[in-house]
C-alpha cells in the first residue's frame, strides 16, 4: 500500500468509539472500502459500513490508546495493492507493507504503529526492454516490454486494464529501452496515456479476463499421494482441512517448494511467526526444481501472523490473490497457498461481531459462504485480456475446531473446491506422513488430467492407479475383520493383499518431507514405485497359486527394499534391479 | 488528571462510567471506593461519553459513589534484572517482603507483535533430560510447547523436572559461556498447595535466584488472570531480548486464564463462540503464545511451556484445541499411563514437537535421532493397536511379528518413558535405550532407519535372543 499524497481537509471525521479493531467515526465523507487514516497516529483502516452520519472502520493496526475525539482522514481510495517489479523475493504484511522495510523504518524487531511503506520500492531502477515499437497498436493488458525481475522471472510490463476501454486500442507514441524506476513513464500512447511499470489495483475486485477455460494440465507437486491419487490442475482449487498438527502447513510448504508453477504466492494468514521465518530462511537456499535457481526468486510472501492485527488478516487473502492475478495476466501459472482460510473466516467473524451484525452459523457472518466462493472463483485457467493464457491455482488450508469437518468453514469450502485433501489425526499420530486420508480425499480433476499423465509419464498411468486404489479399498474392508479376529485367521490370499497394501501405504502413500531425496518425487518415480509394488503383487499371487505358503513369500529378503525406493536418488537402476530380485526371490520358492 | 463519580452501571467484573473527555482503549483506570480501597482496571470499550472498565480485583465493594481516575496510559510492567529472585502477585507487585524494586524501564504489557522478518528460526536443542521429550518430541530454544493435561495429573512435576534439568549440551562443553538461563513462572488460579510445590522446588534447588515468580492463586481475583501472563511475558521479553537471558516461561494453568476471558465476555454480553468462550480467543491466545521465539541479532530467547488442564480430558475442547493450533506442538500427560505408575506419564503418540526436525541430527544431537524417533513412533503405534486385538483373540492368535510389536510397546513404556521424575538422561543415553528397544524387532522391520545407522547401532544379540525366545 502506498500512502495517499495528500488528503483534503473536508474528508476529515472524528472518532466516536473504539472497540478493538473496529472504530466508528462521525462526519466522515467516505465511500465503502475507502482507505482512511485513524487517530493522531494515522493508523491505516478501511471503511466497512456507513450508516447515516456514522462510518465504521476496520483498523489494520493495534488500537490500544486510541480514543474518541481523535481525527480520521479519508484518502478517497479503495484498499489497493501496488503492482510492479519487486514483488517477488518480498515479504509483506496483510496490507502489502514490506516487512523488511518496516523493520528498517521502525528500527525495531517489533511492529510499531502508524508506519506505512509502498508495496514496491519506488526508487529501485529496473532495466526496461521494450517488446513493441513506436506506432504499434496496443489494447488494455497488452505487454509492452519486460524487465528481469529475478533470475527466474521476466516481469511483463502491461498496459493497465483500466487505461483503455475494452476493445479500445491506441498507438505507441514513444517507448525506450533503459533504466527506470517504477514511477517513471516507459511509454506514452497517442491518446496521451503514460505507462509506467507501476499499477495499482483494488484488492477486492478481480482483475478482468476474457474467459475461464477447463484446466487440463496438472500442477505437479512432487508429492506422490497428490500427483498419483488426488491431482490438482493448474488453475484448480484445493482444500486441506485437518486438525492441529496433522500436516497442513508442511503440505503447503511442500507445494510452495516443488509445485511446477511459475510463481508462488504464499499467504500465511493468522498462523505462526516461526513458520514464515522458516520460509524466509529456507527458500533463498533451496533450489527451484525446474531451473536450480533460488526458490525465493519465484515467490512472494504475505505474512499476517496470528498475533498481528485481525483486520489485516481479513485483507491478506485479497492482497495475495490480487498479486497472483497480476502475474497470471503476464501469462504465468501462479499457485497461491493460503494457510489458513479458517483464520481468515475467524477474522471476518470477529469484525462482524464487533459490528453487531446478525450472526449466522456458529457466529460466522451470513456472508461467509459468499466470501469463500468469491475467493476461490478468482482461481482458474484463464484466457487473459492480452490474449495470453495463465492460471491461478488456489490451495487453502482449513483448520476446523476440534478437527470436526462438519463445521461451516470446511463445509462451505467443500462446496466450492474440486480437490479435497483430508488430513487425518490418526495417521499423523502414527507418523504416517503426509497424513492424507486416502479414503476420504478426492480430486474431481482426475479424468481431465489423465491424458497429460498418460502422454508424459506412462500409458497405463490410470489403470495402475486404479489397481492401487482397489487394493487400498480392499485393505480397508479387510482391516475391519482383522480388528475382530486377527490377521492369521484370514485366508492366505487376503493376508497377501494386506501385505501388498502395507507396501502401498509405506512406500507409496508415505513420503518424508524432511528427507533430502524423498521430499520431492517426480511423477515418473511415483509411477515406478507403484509398478514395483505391482510386480511384487503379481509374482506373489502366482507363487501362492502354485502352493507356496504366504509366510514364505513375504519373507523373501528383497521385498522390504521397496520401502527404500523413496530415498534413492538414482531410482531407475535401483527399481529395475529390485524388480528382478523380487521376481527371482519369489520364483525360487517353487 | 480528572476524577469522575459517574458510575452508571456495575455488572460482573465490569463498571460503566460517563466521561466528558476522550479516553483511550486499553487505558488504565483506578477506582477508589468510599471505603478508601483502590482497585485497578482497564478500559475495554470507549464510546462517546461512556467507557466500559474491566476491574482486575473484581467489582465487590464498588458503588456508584466510587471515584474513577483515568491514568492516561496503557498497562505497564516495571522491568529490571533485579526482578530475578523475586515473588510478585498476579499484577506484578512484590509480595515477598523484599526490597523495593527500582525499575529500569516500564514496558507496555500488550507486547507489540514481533515482525516475522526479524525472527530467527529456533533450532537449538534444549536437553531436558526427559526421554519422552528429548528423544521423541525435542524442545528447542524459542519454542512454545504446552503440556496438555487434566486435573489431578502430575503435570507440575513434569514442568518442574524440565525447569530443573534443562540445559543446552553444546554450551556446557564450550565451558558454559553464552547467555544465562532464567525461569519465569506465572501462576494463574492454581491452588496454594500447587504453588507451594513449585516454590519449594525452586528453593530447594536454588533455582529461585534465577527466577521471577508471578502468583495469582485460586482465591485471587479472576480478572487479574488476564493480565498475569502479559506481565510474565513482558518480563521475559525484557530479560531475553535486552539482557540476553535464555528464558523459560512456565504458565499454569492456561485453563484458568481462558475461564477469566469467558467471564469477561459474558459480562459484556458478547456473542459467545464455541462452548461459551469468546470468538476472539484464538487471537487472544496467539498474542500470548507468539511472544515466544528468537530475534535476529539478539542473544537471548523466550521458550514457553504453558500448562493446561483439559476439561473432561478432551482435547477437542476449545482451550486445548485453540492452543494446539497456535503452539509448536504439545506434550500429552495421560491419565491411564499415570495410573499405571509411569513417571512422567507422557503419551508420545498424540504428542508432537514441530520444531524437532531442525533441532536434531548430525552435529546437533546425533545423525540417527530422527530415524530412531520415527521408527519408535511407528512401532509403538502398531503395538498399541494390537493391544485391543489381544484383548479379543489372545496372544496365541497373533503372528510372531505382531507379538514382537506387543513386546516392543510394553518395553517402550517401562524402559523408555518411565524414567522417574528425578532422573535426568542425556541424549546419548536416551538414544541408546531407543536402540535397545528397536533391536527387539528384526532389522527388516526398521524401514524408517537409514541402513548405515542400523549397521552402527543395531544390537544383533537382542534380535537373536528375541528369535530364540519366540522359538521356545
Ligand atoms: N510430509 C511430512 N513428512 C514428515 N513430517 C511431516 C509431514 N507432514 C507433517 N509432518 C509432521 O507433522 C507436524 C505438523 O505438521 P503441520 O505443522 O503441517 O501441521 P498443521 O496441520 O499445519 O497444524 P496447525 O493447524 O496447528 O498449523 C510437522 O511439524 C512434522 O513433524
Ligand atoms: Mg499449520
Amino acid at each position: 500500500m502506498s500512502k495517499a499524497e495528500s488528503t483534503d481537509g473536508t474528508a476529515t471525521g472524528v472518532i466516536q468509539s473504539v472497540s478493538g479493531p473496529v472504530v466508528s467515526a462521525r462526519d466522515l465523507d467516505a465511500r465503502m472500502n475507502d482507505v482512511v487514516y485513524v487517530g493522531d497516529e494515522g493508523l491505516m483502516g478501511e471503511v466497512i459500513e456507513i450508516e447515516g452520519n456514522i462510518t465504521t472502520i476496520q483498523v489494520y493496526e493495534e488500537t490500544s490508546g486510541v480514543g474518541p475525539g481523535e481525527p480520521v482522514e479519508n484518502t478517497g481510495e479503495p484498499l489497493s495493492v501496488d503492482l510492479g517489479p519487486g514483488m517477488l523475493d518480498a515479504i509483506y504484511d496483510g496490507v502489502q507493507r514490506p516487512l523488511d522495510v518496516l523493520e528498517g523504518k521502525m528500527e525495531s524487531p517489533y511492529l510499531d504503529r502508524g508506519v506505512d511503506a509502498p508495496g514496491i520500492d519506488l526508487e529501485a531502477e529496473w532495466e526496461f526492454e521494450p517488446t513493441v515499437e513506436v506506432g504499434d497498436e496496443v489494447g488494455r493488458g497488452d505487454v509492452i516490454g519486460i524487465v528481469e525481475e529475478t533470475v527466474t522471472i521476466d516481469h511483463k510490463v502491461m498496459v493497465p486494464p483500466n487505461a483503455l476501454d475494452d476493445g479500445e486500442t491506441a498507438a505507441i507514441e514513444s517507448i525506450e529501452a533503459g533504466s527506470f524506476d517504477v514511477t517513471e513513464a516507459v511509454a506514452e500512447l497517442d491518446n496521451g496515456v503514460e505507462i509506467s511499470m507501476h499499477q495499482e489495483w483494488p484488492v477486492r475486485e478481480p482483475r478482468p479476463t476474457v474467459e475461464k477455460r477447463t484446466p487440463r494440465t496438472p500442477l505437479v507437486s512432487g508429492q506422490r499421494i497428490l500427483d498419483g491419487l488426488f491431482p490438482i490442475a493448474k488453475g484448480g482449487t484445493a482444500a486441506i482441512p485437518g486438525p492441529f498438527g496433522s500436516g497442513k502447513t508442511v503440505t503447503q510448504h511442500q507445494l510452495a517448494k516443488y509445485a511446477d508453477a511459475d510463481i508462488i504466492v504464499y499467504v500465511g494468514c493468522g498462523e505462526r511467526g516461526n513458520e514464515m521465518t522458516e520460509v524466509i530462511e529456507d527458500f533463498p537456499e533451496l533450489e527451484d526444481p525446474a531451473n536450480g535457481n533460488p526458490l525465493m526468486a519465484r515467490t512472494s510472501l504475505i505474512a499476517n501472523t496470528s498475533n498481528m492485527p485481525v483486520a489485516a488478516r481479513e485483507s491478506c487473502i485479497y492482497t495475495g490473490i490480487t498479486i497472483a492475478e497480476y502475474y497470471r495476466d503476464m501469462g504465468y501459472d501462479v499457485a497461491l497457498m493460503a494457510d489458513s482460510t479458517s483464520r481468515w473466516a475467524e477474522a471476518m467473524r470477529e469484525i462482524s461481531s464487533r459490528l453487531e451484525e446478525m450472526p449466522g452459523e456458529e457466529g460466522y457472518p451470513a456472508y461467509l459462504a459468499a466470501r469463500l466462493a468469491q475467493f476461490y472463483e478468482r482461481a482458474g485457467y484463464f484466457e487473459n485480456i492480452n490474449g495470453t493464457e495463465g492460471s491461478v491455482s488456489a490451495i487453502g488450508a482449513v483448520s476446523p475446531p476440534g478437527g470436526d469437518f462438519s463445521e461451516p468453514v470446511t463445509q462451505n469450502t467443500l462446496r466450492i473446491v474440486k480437490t479435497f485433501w483430508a488430513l487425518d489425526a490418526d495417521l499423523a499420530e502414527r507418523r504416517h506422513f503426509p497424513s492424507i486420508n486416502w479414503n476420504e480425499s478426492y480430486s474431481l480433476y482426475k479424468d481431465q488430467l489423465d491424458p497429460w499423465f498418460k502422454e508424459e509419464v506412462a500409458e497405463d498411468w490410470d489403470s495402475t492407479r486404479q489397481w492401487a486404489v482397489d487394493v487400498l479399498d480392499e485393505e480397508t474392508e479387510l482391516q475391519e475383520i482383522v480388528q475382530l479376529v486377527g490377521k492369521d485367521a484370514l485366508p492366505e490370499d487376503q493376508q497377501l493383499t494386506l501385505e501388498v497394501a502395507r507396501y502401498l501405504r509405506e512406500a507409496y502413500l508415505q513420503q518424508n518431507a524432511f528427507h533430502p531425496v524423498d521430499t520431492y518425487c517426480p511423477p515418473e518415480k511415483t509411477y515406478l514405485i507403484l509398478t514395483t509394488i505391482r510386480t511384487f503383487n503379481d509374482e506373489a499371487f502366482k507363487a501362492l497359486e502354485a502352493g507356496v505358503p504366504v509366510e514364505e513369500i513375504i519373507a523373501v529378503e528383497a521385498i522390504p527394499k521397496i520401502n527404500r525406493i523413496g530415498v534413492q536418488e538414482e531410482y531407475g537402476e535401483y527399481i529395475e534391479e529390485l524388480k528382478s530380485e523380487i521376481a527371482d526371490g519369489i520364483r525360487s520358492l517353487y | 488528571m480528572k476524577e469522575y463519580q459517574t458510575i452508571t452501571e456495575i455488572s460482573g467484573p465490569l463498571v460503566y462510567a460517563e466521561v466528558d473527555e476522550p479516553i483511550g482503549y486499553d487505558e488504565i483506570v483506578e477506582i477508589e471506593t468510599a471505603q478508601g480501597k483502590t482497585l485497578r482496571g482497564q478500559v475495554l470499550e470507549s464510546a462517546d461519553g461512556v467507557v466500559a472498565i474491566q476491574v482486575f480485583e473484581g467489582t465487590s465493594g464498588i458503588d456508584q459513589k466510587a471515584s474513577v481516575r483515568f491514568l492516561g496510559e496503557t498497562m505497564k510492567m516495571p522491568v529490571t534484572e533485579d526482578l530475578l529472585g523475586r515473588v510478585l502477585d498476579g499484577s506484578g507487585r512484590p509480595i515477598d517482603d523484599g526490597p523495593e524494586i527500582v525499575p529500569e524501564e516500564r514496558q507496555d504489557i500488550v507486547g507489540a507483535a514481533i515482525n516475522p522478518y526479524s525472527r530467527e528460526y529456533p533450532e537449538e536443542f534444549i536437553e531436558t533430560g526427559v526421554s519422552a521429550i528429548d528423544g521423541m518430541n525435542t524442545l528447542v530454544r524459542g519454542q512454545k510447547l504446552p503440556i496438555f493435561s487434566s486435573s489431578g495429573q502430575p503435570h507440575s512435576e513434569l514442568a518442574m523436572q524440565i525447569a530443573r534439568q534443562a540445559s543446552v549440551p553444546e554450551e556446557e562443553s564450550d565451558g558454559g559461556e553464552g547467555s544465562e538461563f532464567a525461569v519465569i513462572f506465572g501462576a494463574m488460579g492454581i491452588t496454594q498447595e500447587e504453588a507451594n510445590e513449585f516454590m519449594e522446588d525452586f528453593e530447594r534447588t536454588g533455582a529461585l535466584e534465577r527466577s521471577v515468580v508471578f502468583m495469582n492463586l485460586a482465591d485471587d481475583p479472576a480478572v487479574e488472570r488476564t493480565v498475569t501472563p502479559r506481565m510474565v511475558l513482558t518480563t521475559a521479553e525484557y530479560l531475553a531480548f535486552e539482557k540476553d537471558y535464555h528464558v523459560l516461561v512456565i504458565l499454569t494453568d492456561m485453563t484458568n486464564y481462558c475461564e477469566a476471558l469467558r467471564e469477561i465476555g459474558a459480562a459484556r454480553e458478547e456473542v459467545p463462540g464455541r462452548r461459551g468462550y469468546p470468538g476472539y480467543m484464538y487471537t487472544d491466545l496467539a498474542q500470548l503464545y507468539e511472544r515466544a521465539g528468537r530475534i535476529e541479532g539478539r542473544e537471548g530467547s523466550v521458550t514457553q511451556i504453558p500448562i493446561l488442564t483439559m476439561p473432561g480430558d478432551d482435547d477437542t475442547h476449545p482451550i486445548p484445541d485453540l492452543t494446539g493450533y497456535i503452539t509448536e506442538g504439545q506434550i500429552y500427560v495421560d491419565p491411564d499411563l499415570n495410573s499405571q505408575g509411569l513417571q512422567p506419564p507422557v503419551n508420545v503418540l498424540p504428542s508432537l514437537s514441530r520444531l524437532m526436525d531442525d533441532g536434531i541430527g548430525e552435529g546437533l544431537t546425533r545423525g540417527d535421532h530422527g530415524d530412531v524417533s520415527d521408527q519408535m513412533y511407528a512401532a509403538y503405534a502398531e503395538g498399541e493397536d494390537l493391544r485391543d486385538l489381544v484383548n479379543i483373540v489372545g496372544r496365541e492368535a497373533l503372528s510372531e511379528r505382531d507379538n514382537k510389536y506387543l513386546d516392543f510397546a510394553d518395553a517402550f513404556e517401562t524402559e523408555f518413558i518411565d524414567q522417574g521424575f528425578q532422573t535426568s538422561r542425556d541424549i546419548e543415553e536416551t538414544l541408546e535405550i531407543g536402540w535397545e528397544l528397536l533391536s527387539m524387532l528384526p532389522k527388516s522391520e526398521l524401514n524408517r532407519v537409514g541402513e548405515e545407522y542400523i549397521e552402527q547401532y543395531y544390537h544383533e544379540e537382542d534380535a537373536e535372543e528375541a528369535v530364540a525366545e519366540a522359538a521356545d
Side-chain angles (χ1 to χ4, degrees):
Chain A
M1 258 314 289
S2 41
K3 196 160 187 160
E5 307 288 273
S6 67
T7 48
D8 54 60
T10 57
T12 306
V14 177
I15 297 179
Q16 161 149 333
S17 72
V18 181
S19 160
V22 173
V23 165
S24 44
R26 233 181 5 241
D27 302 331
L28 183 71
D29 182 12
R31 286 169 305 187
M32 275 299 270
N33 301 114
D34 276 356
V35 170
V36 296
Y37 290 101
V38 175
D40 297 329
E41 289 173 85
L43 309 183
M44 191 172 147
E46 180 186 0
V47 173
I48 53 170
E49 195 178 84
I50 300 172
E51 223 184 291
N53 190 25
I54 304 297
T55 307
T56 309
I57 297 153
Q58 63 176 6
V59 182
Y60 294 121
E61 303 181 67
E62 284 306 328
T63 53
S64 12
V66 176
E70 292 184 36
V72 178
E73 269 181 62
N74 188 9
T75 65
E77 301 280 337
L79 184 67
S80 302
V81 283
D82 292 307
L83 300 168
M87 292 192 295
L88 298 177
D89 198 4
I91 173 162
Y92 296 119
D93 77 352
V95 286
Q96 212 208 3
R97 294 181 303 177
L99 288 168
D100 51 345
V101 176
L102 292 188
E103 182 191 66
K105 278 194 165 180
M106 293 168 179
E107 292 174 7
S108 157
Y110 294 99
L111 288 168
D112 202 352
R113 309 191 301 190
V115 179
D116 205 349
I120 51 178
D121 188 337
L122 301 178
E123 277 147 37
E125 301 247 324
W126 301 91
E127 215 47 57
F128 175 77
E129 190 65 48
T131 53
V132 294
E133 289 169 9
V134 171
D136 286 356
E137 286 286 322
V138 293
R140 58 181 202 147
D142 281 354
V143 177
I144 59 162
I146 52 174
V147 295
E148 187 185 305
E149 183 173 1
T150 65
V151 280
T152 313
I153 295 298
D154 279 340
H155 191 103
K156 315 266 169 75
V157 179
M158 298 173 289
V159 177
N162 43 11
L164 296 170
D165 288 334
D166 188 9
E168 185 187 354
T169 63
I172 302 276
E173 178 90 11
S174 69
I175 188 161
E176 226 172 306
S179 190
F180 298 94
D181 71 36
V182 296
T183 62
E184 291 172 279
V186 294
E188 199 184 330
L189 304 183
D190 64 357
N191 61 1
V193 173
E194 288 191 342
I195 298 172
S196 71
M197 293 184 260
H198 174 222
Q199 302 189 10
E200 276 181 43
W201 192 263
V203 295
R204 295 183 197 278
E205 192 181 314
R207 286 173 67 85
T209 56
V210 176
E211 63 167 356
K212 219 179 219 186
R213 301 233 168 116
T214 308
R216 301 202 183 276
T217 330
L219 181 72
V220 175
S221 64
Q223 309 304 302
R224 286 190 284 275
I225 184 167
L226 304 187
D227 296 339
L229 298 185
F230 311 113
I232 176 177
K234 289 202 171 88
T237 50
I240 318 177
F244 62 80
S246 56
K248 297 179 291 294
T249 303
V250 173
T251 308
Q252 297 267 37
H253 280 191
Q254 289 298 94
L255 285 161
K257 286 175 190 168
Y258 302 118
D260 66 343
D262 300 310
I263 305 281
I264 301 289
V265 178
Y266 193 97
V267 187
C269 174
E271 291 285 312
R272 303 173 183 81
N274 279 331
E275 290 173 348
M276 298 313 295
T277 310
E278 189 183 4
V279 176
I280 301 168
E281 287 185 11
D282 287 355
F283 276 37
E285 315 276 303
L286 288 169
E287 281 184 13
D288 185 336
N291 46 38
N293 294 332
L295 271 179
M296 224 31 224
R298 66 165 193 179
T299 310
S300 187
L301 295 176
I302 292 154
N304 212 90
T305 57
S306 54
N307 55 339
M308 284 161 74
V310 150
R313 194 193 298 169
E314 190 275 334
S315 67
C316 69
I317 295 282
Y318 296 103
T319 299
I321 195 110
T322 309
I323 292 175
E325 286 176 340
Y326 177 66
Y327 283 100
R328 172 209 66 199
D329 285 347
M330 299 178 199
Y332 287 122
D333 290 314
V334 185
L336 175 135
M337 283 99 211
D339 185 11
S340 157
T341 58
S342 293
R343 306 302 164 217
W344 176 50
E346 284 164 8
M348 283 184 230
R349 176 172 70 185
E350 193 169 330
I351 289 163
S352 161
S353 94
R354 304 257 186 192
L355 290 177
E356 296 178 3
E357 289 174 342
M358 176 76 100
E361 218 183 333
E362 295 195 15
Y364 287 103
Y367 47 78
L368 171 71
R371 293 277 167 90
L372 282 166
Q374 282 158 10
F375 163 64
Y376 284 107
E377 263 311 303
R378 290 175 75 168
Y381 192 94
F382 291 95
E383 181 185 335
N384 294 322
I385 53 171
N386 55 18
T388 59
E389 288 183 4
S391 66
V392 174
S393 313
I395 299 143
V398 184
S399 318
D404 176 1
F405 290 179
S406 66
E407 58 90 41
V409 182
T410 315
Q411 285 306 313
N412 284 309
T413 304
L414 285 187
R415 247 174 256 150
I416 315 156
V417 300
K418 295 207 160 139
T419 324
F420 175 48
W421 298 323
L423 295 176
D424 185 321
D426 239 28
L427 293 174
E429 263 189 30
R430 56 192 64 222
R431 299 320 193 241
H432 172 118
F433 289 123
S435 51
I436 296 172
N437 182 310
W438 53 94
N439 291 315
E440 281 179 50
S441 303
Y442 59 80
S443 162
L444 301 180
Y445 298 111
K446 223 158 39 184
D447 295 339
Q448 71 210 54
L449 298 178
D450 273 346
W452 187 94
F453 283 109
K454 289 166 85 162
E455 172 78 25
E456 301 291 325
V457 189
E459 194 38 49
D460 60 348
W461 174 270
D462 51 346
S463 58
T464 312
R465 176 186 60 216
Q466 195 52 49
W467 166 76
V469 169
D470 291 343
V471 175
L472 289 167
D473 281 350
E474 196 177 342
E475 184 197 32
T476 309
E477 279 167 34
L478 291 177
Q479 283 298 359
E480 280 171 27
I481 306 173
V482 171
Q483 293 303 312
L484 298 175
V485 297
K487 209 191 297 182
D488 282 9
L490 293 181
E492 293 219 307
D493 60 332
Q494 295 187 348
Q495 289 186 35
L496 194 51
T497 301
L498 286 181
E499 194 69 5
V500 174
R502 183 163 74 85
Y503 282 106
L504 282 175
R505 282 189 283 109
E506 291 177 358
Y508 185 70
L509 299 180
Q510 291 187 26
Q511 186 174 353
N512 185 353
F514 302 111
H515 188 282
V517 176
D518 200 24
T519 184
Y520 174 70
C521 187
E524 190 207 6
K525 186 174 175 184
T526 295
Y527 169 76
L528 286 177
I529 293 179
L530 264 195
T531 61
T532 315
I533 302 172
R534 201 168 186 182
T535 302
F536 161 53
N537 175 82
D538 296 351
E539 293 292 341
F541 274 97
K542 267 190 251 159
L544 193 67
E545 250 166 65
V548 185
V550 73
E551 289 101 82
E552 277 183 37
I553 301 174
I554 64 179
V556 167
E557 222 175 299
I559 300 171
K561 285 196 190 167
I562 295 176
N563 278 331
R564 301 206 178 265
I565 308 176
V567 301
Q568 306 300 322
E569 198 146 20
E570 307 300 331
Y571 55 89
E573 210 172 299
Y574 183 92
I575 287 174
E576 231 163 87
E577 269 173 38
L578 180 55
K579 279 182 181 169
S580 53
E581 269 179 66
I582 292 174
D584 294 349
I586 296 179
R587 283 180 202 171
S588 71
L589 300 173
Y590 63 102
Chain B
M1 194 188 323
K2 242 174 138 172
E3 266 196 43
Y4 294 88
Q5 278 186 322
T6 51
I7 294 178
T8 53
E9 190 186 332
I10 305 166
S11 139
L14 304 185
V15 165
Y16 295 84
E18 286 175 354
V19 291
D20 56 12
E21 64 188 330
I23 301 293
Y25 174 64
D26 264 0
E27 211 172 278
I28 291 299
V29 187
E30 274 180 9
I31 298 175
E32 201 172 312
T33 63
Q35 292 72 34
K37 206 167 103 190
T38 306
L39 304 163
R40 292 206 296 172
Q42 193 172 11
V43 174
L44 280 189
E45 197 170 318
S46 161
D48 268 347
V50 181
V51 292
I53 302 158
Q54 149 189 339
V55 185
F56 300 138
E57 288 91 343
T59 47
S60 83
I62 301 180
D63 61 15
Q64 292 192 307
K65 289 195 283 297
S67 57
V68 180
R69 279 192 301 270
F70 296 91
L71 303 191
E73 61 168 21
T74 51
M75 190 115 174
K76 304 278 194 289
M77 171 74 204
V79 288
T80 149
E81 242 174 312
D82 297 341
L83 283 170
L84 288 166
R86 302 299 302 267
V87 182
L88 315 170
D89 71 5
S91 304
R93 290 171 295 213
I95 48 169
D96 58 358
D97 305 322
E100 196 192 328
I101 295 171
V102 185
E104 202 163 302
E105 277 174 50
R106 296 174 70 251
Q107 291 185 344
D108 208 318
I109 65 159
V110 183
I114 300 176
N115 184 335
Y117 183 79
S118 311
R119 282 184 186 266
E120 191 174 312
Y121 196 68
E123 44 199 2
E124 277 169 298
F125 168 57
I126 300 179
E127 190 173 78
T128 66
V130 178
S131 294
I133 296 177
D134 295 350
M136 310 293 280
N137 294 289
T138 317
L139 176 69
V140 298
R141 269 183 183 162
Q143 183 170 13
K144 38 193 180 292
L145 188 65
I147 298 175
F148 282 13
S149 186
S150 40
S151 348
Q153 300 300 313
H155 40 262
S156 302
E157 280 82 348
L158 177 58
M160 283 185 278
Q161 185 176 18
I162 296 170
R164 220 172 30 235
Q165 299 177 355
S167 64
V168 174
E170 206 184 309
E171 284 183 0
E172 271 170 19
S173 56
D174 284 356
E177 65 98 29
S179 307
E180 276 187 82
F181 185 65
V183 176
I184 305 189
F185 180 73
M188 291 162 285
I190 64 171
T191 60
Q192 184 71 54
E193 209 175 320
E194 278 175 281
N196 288 347
E197 273 175 42
F198 274 101
M199 289 309 295
E200 277 159 25
D201 202 71
F202 280 166
E203 276 161 24
R204 187 172 56 77
T205 59
L208 190 58
E209 284 164 47
R210 51 182 179 92
S211 306
V212 189
V213 176
F214 290 78
M215 286 282 182
N216 168 289
L217 298 182
D219 54 0
D220 287 333
V223 178
E224 188 185 73
R225 279 163 214 161
T226 60
V227 297
T228 307
R230 295 185 162 80
M231 296 277 171
V232 166
L233 290 164
T234 305
T235 309
E237 282 173 339
Y238 170 80
L239 290 175
F241 302 129
E242 287 174 42
K243 298 290 166 192
D244 296 347
Y245 284 85
H246 287 295
V247 182
L248 178 69
V249 174
I250 298 174
L251 293 169
T252 182
D253 178 338
M254 288 306 293
T255 304
N256 297 329
Y257 170 83
C258 294
E259 299 299 346
L261 277 191
R262 177 163 74 168
E263 194 182 317
I264 294 163
R268 294 182 67 190
E269 297 175 11
E270 291 168 348
V271 185
R274 253 176 101 225
R275 301 205 206 174
Y277 293 91
Y280 48 80
M281 196 157 85
Y282 174 81
T283 303
D284 189 281
L285 287 172
Q287 279 164 353
L288 302 179
Y289 297 142
E290 279 289 321
R291 291 174 81 173
R294 304 216 57 171
I295 290 178
E296 202 143 338
R298 309 279 167 112
E299 279 299 317
S301 59
V302 176
T303 308
Q304 282 188 30
I305 303 193
I307 298 173
L308 53 89
T309 46
M310 300 184 276
D313 199 31
D314 171 11
D315 67 1
T316 67
H317 183 280
I319 299 172
D321 190 51
L322 294 178
T323 298
Y325 271 124
I326 303 164
T327 53
E328 285 140 349
Q330 65 281 331
I331 303 293
Y332 278 79
V333 167
D334 184 301
D336 287 340
L337 295 181
N338 187 41
S339 57
Q340 285 172 41
L342 264 61
Q343 289 185 342
V346 171
N347 184 359
V348 300
L349 292 179
S351 300
L352 171 70
S353 162
R354 297 167 196 239
L355 301 183
M356 174 165 180
D357 300 282
D358 292 288
I360 62 168
E362 197 68 60
L364 298 161
T365 55
R366 219 170 73 179
D368 58 324
H369 189 162
D371 290 1
V372 168
S373 148
D374 279 356
Q375 191 73 57
M376 287 211 285
Y377 261 111
Y380 182 53
E382 182 145 5
E384 253 285 300
D385 278 351
L386 288 165
R387 283 178 176 164
D388 295 335
L389 186 57
V390 163
N391 291 334
I392 306 171
V393 299
R395 270 215 176 215
E396 309 71 51
L398 294 186
S399 67
E400 193 192 314
R401 179 176 183 273
D402 289 352
N403 272 302
K404 283 191 184 139
Y405 277 96
L406 277 170
D407 292 338
F408 176 90
D410 292 343
F412 179 79
E413 288 171 4
T414 54
E415 306 299 318
F416 191 83
I417 299 293
D418 186 19
Q419 67 180 82
F421 286 119
Q422 302 302 327
T423 313
S424 181
R425 291 179 183 156
D426 67 22
I427 185 66
E428 287 285 336
E429 200 177 341
T430 290
L431 291 175
E432 187 41 40
I433 298 171
W435 275 107
E436 270 167 36
L437 298 174
L438 288 179
S439 301
M440 296 168 69
L441 303 171
K443 277 187 195 173
S444 60
E445 288 292 319
L446 306 186
N447 57 37
R448 295 169 190 246
V449 186
E451 267 151 343
E452 68 280 21
Y453 299 127
I454 298 183
E455 190 89 356
Q456 191 176 351
Y457 298 110
Y458 189 81
H459 300 205
E460 299 288 348
E461 328 81 64
D462 291 6
E464 274 153 31
E465 268 167 46
V467 173
E469 262 171 45
D472 291 342

